[in-house]
Amino acid sequence: QVQLVESGGGLVQAGGSLRLSCAASGSIGSINAMGWYRQAPGKQRELVAVITSGGSTNYAGSVKGRFTLSRDNAKNTVYLQMNSLKPEDTAVYYCNLVVLLDAYWGQGTQVTVSS
């Protein structure tokens, strides 16, 4: 069984920064990709950033240049550094892990950016 433990959400003013962490544990095996999605009220869940097993990263256009995704392979952990936060970044952020054909989700962490 795979577990994802997220941390780092909270309330921040516009222009501020937050760092999210997601640690994977359990029967992980070979990780294909790991990253973050977010879902704002009344909107669909959307990709924020993902890093593949080969080290390639992909960012949503709305966060490119402001967010940075990194990983610690030894700890099966990814970090999302979010800078220059905007009110429109307010959402529940979900960690996502893809192992072979299986996808796993964290419980979500709330990020609220006040104007």
Side-chain angles (χ1 to χ4, degrees):
Q1 191 164 354
V2 175
Q3 290 185 326
L4 300 175
V5 178
E6 303 157 334
S7 61
L11 172 65
V12 65
Q13 288 188 332
S17 298
L18 284 174
R19 188 190 193 213
L20 305 183
S21 299
C22 175
S25 63
S27 303
I28 299 173
S30 178
I31 296 175
N32 287 359
M34 196 168 179
W36 291 91
Y37 286 69
R38 67 186 181 187
Q39 188 167 17
K43 295 189 176 181
Q44 289 188 331
R45 191 172 297 188
E46 62 176 2
L47 172 72
V48 177
V50 64
I51 186 165
T52 68
S53 58
S56 299
T57 53
N58 186 34
Y59 295 93
S62 59
V63 308
K64 204 171 290 186
R66 300 187 297 122
F67 291 12
T68 302
L69 183 65
S70 61
R71 68 181 180 185
D72 183 334
N73 289 334
K75 296 181 179 179
N76 289 323
T77 299
V78 292
Y79 306 95
L80 184 68
Q81 178 66 43
M82 305 186 293
N83 298 328
S84 302
L85 282 161
K86 305 175 181 180
E88 50 263 43
D89 294 317
T90 295
V92 178
Y93 284 68
Y94 295 92
C95 181
N96 173 260
L97 171 69
V98 178
V99 178
L100 297 179
L101 298 179
D102 295 322
Y104 301 90
W105 295 93
Q107 78 281 2
T109 184
Q110 178 70 45
V111 171
T112 303
V113 184
S114 63
S115 57

